[in-house]
Amino acid sequence: MPNQVRDLMGILVEVNRHEEGGLEYLEIVVEPYPYPISYRGQYHYRSGSTKQELRGPALSAFLLQKQGKRWDGVPVPGVKAHDLSAEAFTLFRQRAAKSGRVDEQVLDDCNEALLDNLNLVDGDYLKRAAVLLFHSTPEKFITGAYVKIGFFAADDDLRYQDEVHGPLLVQVERTLDLLQTKYTKAQVRYEGASRLEEPPFPAAALREALLNALAHKDYSGGTPVQISVYEDQLQLWNEGHLPDSWTVENLLRKHPSKPFNPDVANTLFRAGYIESWGRGTIKMLNECRAAHLPAPQFYFEASGFVVAFAEYSATYWHQRGVRADLIPVLLYATQHSIITNALVQQQLGVSKSTATRYLGELEKGGYLQKIGTRGAGTEYRLIGS
């Protein structure tokens, strides 16, 4: 038996014969191995009660992980520092100087030395992370290394779209610019004689969501980051997944930073784009709360990770199961911060008892919070606003 295991799997096992209760049995002792073991050229892993075969990108990631490497740390032959984008290097130096996370002497050094200092070099080769971040056309080496943006009137009605190509550092700036100037409409308000324009979604929250998508994406899948913009919502999808044993709940509280592409994330951190403490999702939540918007939603869909932003609207409340006759109450509370029984009667043309019933249902459902004193002066505020 030890010889058969050695010939089929290339490992050594200990086989012991035991006897208990008049019965004989064999004990096969298999020590943990620091590298993956194949059986007849195949690699398997256990998922629950079933055995699955590792293939394609999942197998590549597994093998790299067992070797102590990550996908973005693999060397790329045939690419040198002089092949990379001067625009990307200039942008990085400007951002890093402002962030103060890279020594000035390093920023003044040549591009080759800068890449080495950022840990983007492996021997005589540049890493995939260097190509992603600084090459003018990273798609020559990495399929799907770009961003797609589309504006939808409905899920099946695409009105217009754009693709953002180039170095990852440049993609960040160009994508944010497109979102703010072409794909979302600023809300206009006045403070005295001053005219102020506010984007529908906080720029800082969108920035965090985009950077998370680019830093945590599984680039071995070959699908670009996709941003779907609607009249009152915006969704970012990337072909990524959470660290092992994590759930979406981990993102809603303070958590360690475990980037899927650590070399990419480190460069973005040095440039001041992201933090290294896993606070990006919390920042998105806080920014939306400060702007009186619903908390962004995090979930998995179509083999990828989604961050969804939304405005309070009739569609938003309908999707959450609120009855049509109650939605106007919530919309008024959104626009005016508070609502009272008298205002419900006035706005909806209903009786006092009906207004009381509406407000009671919305309070019980967790949408409104009662504030102030009881009686005619009782006010209600939208929870989370």
Side-chain angles (χ1 to χ4, degrees), residues 79-97 102 106-121 126-127 129-136 166-171 267 270-271 273:
V79 186
K80 300 297 181 183
H82 63 260
D83 298 321
L84 304 182
S85 166
E87 179 187 8
F89 278 115
T90 299
L91 177 60
F92 175 82
R93 286 186 167 92
Q94 291 173 347
R95 299 280 310 186
V102 181
V106 174
L107 295 177
D108 292 336
D109 216 332
C110 64
N111 291 342
E112 289 85 350
L114 177 61
L115 292 169
D116 187 55
N117 187 274
L118 292 171
N119 196 31
L120 298 177
V121 179
L126 297 180
K127 294 181 179 180
V131 174
L132 267 174
L133 290 158
F134 291 99
H135 201 282
S136 58
L168 205 63
L169 289 163
V170 178
Q171 286 185 36
T267 301
R270 299 297 172 190
Y273 283 106

Side-chain angles (χ1 to χ4, degrees), residues 132-320:
L132 267 174
L133 290 158
F134 291 99
H135 201 282
S136 58
T137 52
E139 295 159 69
K140 287 184 177 180
F141 309 90
I142 303 163
T143 302
Y146 65 99
V147 178
K148 287 180 66 175
I149 313 174
F151 184 87
F152 294 81
D155 288 342
D156 58 352
D157 186 2
L158 174 64
R159 294 299 175 88
Y160 50 89
Q161 62 180 330
D162 285 281
E163 293 182 355
V164 183
H165 300 266
L168 205 63
L169 289 163
V170 178
Q171 286 185 36
V172 174
E173 303 292 339
R174 292 176 180 170
T175 301
L176 289 172
D177 182 64
L178 274 172
L179 288 177
Q180 293 170 4
T181 61
K182 182 176 179 179
Y183 282 86
T184 57
K185 298 178 181 179
Q187 306 294 324
V188 178
R189 66 181 180 86
Y190 292 88
E191 286 187 0
S194 301
R195 183 179 188 271
L196 302 177
E197 292 188 2
E198 295 179 344
F201 307 109
L206 290 183
R207 188 182 196 85
E208 287 292 333
L210 175 62
L211 287 165
N212 279 351
L214 294 172
H216 295 285
K217 175 189 169 184
D218 183 358
Y219 285 89
S220 64
T223 307
V225 170
Q226 298 176 29
I227 304 176
S228 302
V229 185
Y230 298 80
E231 189 66 35
D232 54 7
Q233 58 180 306
L234 185 151
Q235 300 176 1
L236 294 94
W237 178 94
N238 80 89
E239 198 166 7
H241 49 79
L242 293 175
D244 293 340
S245 77
W246 279 33
T247 67
V248 169
E249 301 304 318
N250 292 91
L251 304 178
L252 305 181
R253 57 181 182 269
K254 182 175 171 56
H255 56 274
S257 177
K258 292 187 176 182
F260 188 81
N261 301 295
D263 289 331
V264 170
N266 176 62
T267 301
L268 293 174
F269 169 74
R270 299 297 172 190
Y273 283 106
I274 62 175
E275 300 294 336
S276 62
W277 293 97
R279 296 182 297 177
T281 50
I282 297 176
K283 185 175 182 179
M284 289 183 233
L285 292 167
N286 291 337
E287 289 288 340
C288 288
R289 185 179 296 112
H292 304 292
L293 291 172
Q297 302 296 305
F298 308 103
Y299 59 91
F300 287 92
E301 182 179 86
S303 302
F305 188 75
V306 177
V307 179
F309 297 92
E311 296 181 80
Y312 287 122
S313 64
T315 301
Y316 174 84
W317 293 119
H318 176 73
Q319 290 174 345
R320 277 145 188 81

Side-chain angles (χ1 to χ4, degrees), residues 321-382:
V322 178
R323 286 206 327 268
D325 53 347
L326 299 179
I327 289 177
V329 180
L330 294 174
L331 293 178
Y332 187 93
T334 302
Q335 296 170 3
H336 300 85
S337 300
I338 60 171
I339 192 167
T340 64
N341 189 297
L343 286 171
V344 174
Q345 297 176 53
Q346 177 184 342
Q347 295 297 317
L348 303 185
V350 297
S351 65
K352 181 179 179 180
S353 60
T354 299
T356 301
R357 178 165 54 84
Y358 282 1
L359 291 169
E361 286 186 39
L362 291 172
E363 182 186 14
K364 186 177 181 180
Y367 301 105
L368 294 179
Q369 179 182 14
K370 186 183 295 184
I371 56 176
T373 59
R374 293 181 177 275
T378 301
E379 298 176 340
Y380 293 81
R381 181 174 56 204
L382 190 69

